[in-house]
Short mmCIF file of all heavy atoms in Angstrom, two decimals:
data_model
loop_
_atom_site.label_atom_id
_atom_site.label_comp_id
_atom_site.label_asym_id
_atom_site.label_seq_id
_atom_site.Cartn_x
_atom_site.Cartn_y
_atom_site.Cartn_z
N GLY A 8 -1.76 6.41 9.05
CA GLY A 8 -0.36 6.84 8.88
C GLY A 8 -0.10 7.95 7.93
O GLY A 8 0.97 8.53 7.90
N GLY A 9 -1.12 8.34 7.17
CA GLY A 9 -0.99 9.51 6.25
C GLY A 9 -0.87 10.77 6.99
O GLY A 9 -1.10 10.89 8.22
N GLY A 10 -0.55 11.83 6.21
CA GLY A 10 -0.45 13.11 6.88
C GLY A 10 0.38 14.09 5.95
O GLY A 10 0.51 13.82 4.78
N LEU A 11 0.81 15.24 6.61
CA LEU A 11 1.48 16.22 5.88
C LEU A 11 2.91 16.22 6.22
O LEU A 11 3.32 16.11 7.42
CB LEU A 11 0.97 17.61 6.26
CG LEU A 11 1.67 18.89 5.75
CD1 LEU A 11 1.62 18.96 4.18
CD2 LEU A 11 1.02 20.08 6.40
N VAL A 12 3.82 16.16 5.21
CA VAL A 12 5.20 16.04 5.47
C VAL A 12 5.98 16.93 4.40
O VAL A 12 5.46 17.17 3.38
CB VAL A 12 5.74 14.64 5.42
CG1 VAL A 12 5.52 14.03 4.03
CG2 VAL A 12 7.17 14.48 5.85
N GLN A 13 7.18 17.51 4.86
CA GLN A 13 7.96 18.32 3.90
C GLN A 13 8.67 17.41 2.91
O GLN A 13 8.85 16.23 3.22
CB GLN A 13 8.92 19.14 4.62
CG GLN A 13 8.21 20.29 5.49
CD GLN A 13 9.29 21.23 6.03
OE1 GLN A 13 10.39 20.84 6.42
NE2 GLN A 13 8.91 22.47 6.16
N ALA A 14 8.93 17.86 1.80
CA ALA A 14 9.77 17.12 0.84
C ALA A 14 11.11 16.68 1.53
O ALA A 14 11.77 17.39 2.19
CB ALA A 14 10.11 18.00 -0.30
N GLY A 15 11.40 15.46 1.21
CA GLY A 15 12.69 14.82 1.87
C GLY A 15 12.32 14.05 3.04
O GLY A 15 13.15 13.34 3.61
N GLY A 16 11.10 14.24 3.64
CA GLY A 16 10.71 13.55 4.82
C GLY A 16 10.26 12.12 4.63
O GLY A 16 10.34 11.54 3.48
N SER A 17 9.80 11.50 5.66
CA SER A 17 9.42 10.11 5.69
C SER A 17 7.98 10.00 6.28
O SER A 17 7.69 10.73 7.19
CB SER A 17 10.39 9.17 6.37
OG SER A 17 11.66 9.28 5.70
N LEU A 18 7.28 8.95 5.85
CA LEU A 18 6.08 8.53 6.48
C LEU A 18 5.90 6.97 6.37
O LEU A 18 6.55 6.39 5.39
CB LEU A 18 4.86 9.09 5.71
CG LEU A 18 4.47 10.51 6.14
CD1 LEU A 18 3.29 10.95 5.20
CD2 LEU A 18 4.05 10.70 7.60
N ARG A 19 5.28 6.41 7.34
CA ARG A 19 5.04 4.98 7.33
C ARG A 19 3.50 4.75 7.38
O ARG A 19 2.82 5.12 8.30
CB ARG A 19 5.62 4.24 8.55
CG ARG A 19 5.61 2.74 8.41
CD ARG A 19 5.90 2.08 9.73
NE ARG A 19 6.22 0.66 9.60
CZ ARG A 19 6.08 -0.14 10.70
NH1 ARG A 19 5.62 0.28 11.85
NH2 ARG A 19 6.32 -1.36 10.51
N LEU A 20 3.03 4.16 6.19
CA LEU A 20 1.60 3.82 6.17
C LEU A 20 1.39 2.38 6.66
O LEU A 20 2.23 1.52 6.51
CB LEU A 20 1.18 3.89 4.75
CG LEU A 20 1.30 5.25 4.07
CD1 LEU A 20 0.63 5.28 2.65
CD2 LEU A 20 0.82 6.45 4.89
N SER A 21 0.28 2.20 7.34
CA SER A 21 -0.15 0.85 7.88
C SER A 21 -1.49 0.52 7.28
O SER A 21 -2.28 1.34 7.09
CB SER A 21 -0.12 0.89 9.34
OG SER A 21 1.15 1.15 9.89
#
Side-chain angles (χ1 to χ4, degrees):
L11 174 64
V12 63
Q13 289 188 333
S17 298
L18 280 176
R19 187 196 195 203
L20 304 184
S21 298

